[in-house]
Amino acid sequence: MTTPSTTATKPTSVRTVAIASFVGALMEWYDFFLFGTASAVVFAPLFYPGDDPATGTIAAFATFGIGFVVRPLGGIIFGHFGDRVGRKSMLVLTLSIMGLGTAAIGCLPTYDSIGLWAPTLLVICRLLQGLGIGGEYAGAALMVVEHAPANRKGFWGSLPQAASPGGILLGTGAFALVSSFGQDFLLGWGWRLPFLLSFALLAVGLIIRLKVSESPEFERARARREATNEAPKIPLVTVLRKYPGNLALAFGARLGEAVSSNVINAFGIYYVYKVVGMSSQVGLYGMLIASALSFFAVPFYGWLSDRVGRKRIYMTGAILGAVLAFPMFWLFNTGQVGAAILAFCLLYVLVPSMMFAVQSVFFSELFGTDVRYTGLSLAYQLSSIVGGYVPTAATALLLVLGGDPWLVAGGFTLTCVIAAVCVFFANDVSGMTGSIGTRRTRRQRTSRREPEIAQ
């Protein structure tokens, strides 16, 4: 019987792997922002009609939230098989589930055609999206990180992260385009077009991903297990037993990015429109410009992290978030278009984008190769539940406080402080417990200012 080492194909170039991961991540974020926009604009009258439009909108946003709830389940399921079977097969499967779930929404009959079956089918499609996305992020990130050379993991690992602002641009642009033809066209069949576009993204993603080789680091770990006849372990159990501290620190660090991103993006757009009284286009344009800037800033932060270390980049973003949270609302409250757009751009580029840029590499270095898919998925997806409901909680606080945003700004600041503290202690935990793995040589310790890599 041949071993993986004797049958393994030549590793795919890291550039090809990065492109494959970027396309999948782009679909992930495209789906995310597209469903959110549709929930606010068209899902209420089409799938949840009634006498009270607000009730329909709440139902549509509740459907949107279901995707966040099932994400950790997707992370556990696909993380298990990604750590046991391989990264590539899970990436192909999650991309297919996610793409088909999104495209299927564009084919759904509405409430006028089949009654209650329409929202039921919409919920099922959203569940499929959530499961697929739950396993997509970690796999896409790890394929790049584990293919990249050690001295450039930060740069290559940041490229799939750049798909987040790319998804905002693509999703917002697609819906803005179909909306430009009028309300009748939009509610007729125009709303379906952005969802059907996922078929094209899925086809491109599958063509590229099927040509990518398995992760070299995973292949070496699998060969080692077979050579030593090591008994298979359950990745989730191993993560909870061996890396509980690292999982908690990754969760806390990710919380700062998730909360800041949703406060700036979703809640910020709502705040300048409904509370300050500016045009609804101000927030949209502000985020479009901020996303365009972040699309280039994220790879730059990744490149910089290879020179100064992941921790410094991540902590800088968290500290800037703690410092700039209140000034962001001060700028919003001026009522000036330029000041509001400046606030969106500064905060989004300097806070969540900086943390997100190095997140995949930084978090993957906290877990061993055998459980890295599961560990990264849990840290990312569990915190996504909190981040996903931040706009709802922030809006409720705003209503209770009569439009006063300072408690929201305080929560923004607090989560960024928590993120900075977690990142600060991440390296100490790895060194004290030994769970991160082998000790580095003196040359490695002095030449690299970043967390030790788990083995």
Side-chain angles (χ1 to χ4, degrees), residues 49-135:
D51 296 332
D52 184 8
T55 302
T57 301
I58 292 174
F61 276 124
T63 304
F64 174 65
I66 289 175
F68 289 100
V69 176
V70 298
R71 276 188 177 195
L73 178 60
I76 292 172
I77 294 173
F78 295 110
H80 174 87
F81 291 103
D83 285 324
R84 292 280 292 273
V85 178
R87 322 301 199 202
K88 177 182 175 179
S89 57
M90 292 304 103
L91 275 180
V92 171
L93 183 57
T94 56
L95 182 68
S96 300
I97 292 174
M98 188 170 57
L100 291 175
T102 302
I105 294 173
C107 302
L108 292 181
T110 62
Y111 187 92
D112 289 341
S113 299
I114 59 173
L116 290 175
W117 279 107
T120 301
L121 292 174
L122 183 64
V123 169
I124 292 173
C125 288
R126 184 58 178 163
L127 288 171
L128 290 175
Q129 279 187 319
L131 287 173
I133 291 175

Side-chain angles (χ1 to χ4, degrees), residues 17 21 87-88 91 138-148 212-216:
V17 175
S21 294
R87 322 301 199 202
K88 177 182 175 179
L91 275 180
L142 290 181
M143 281 294 279
V144 178
V145 171
E146 293 180 347
H147 270 86
V212 173
S213 63
E214 183 56 87
S215 157

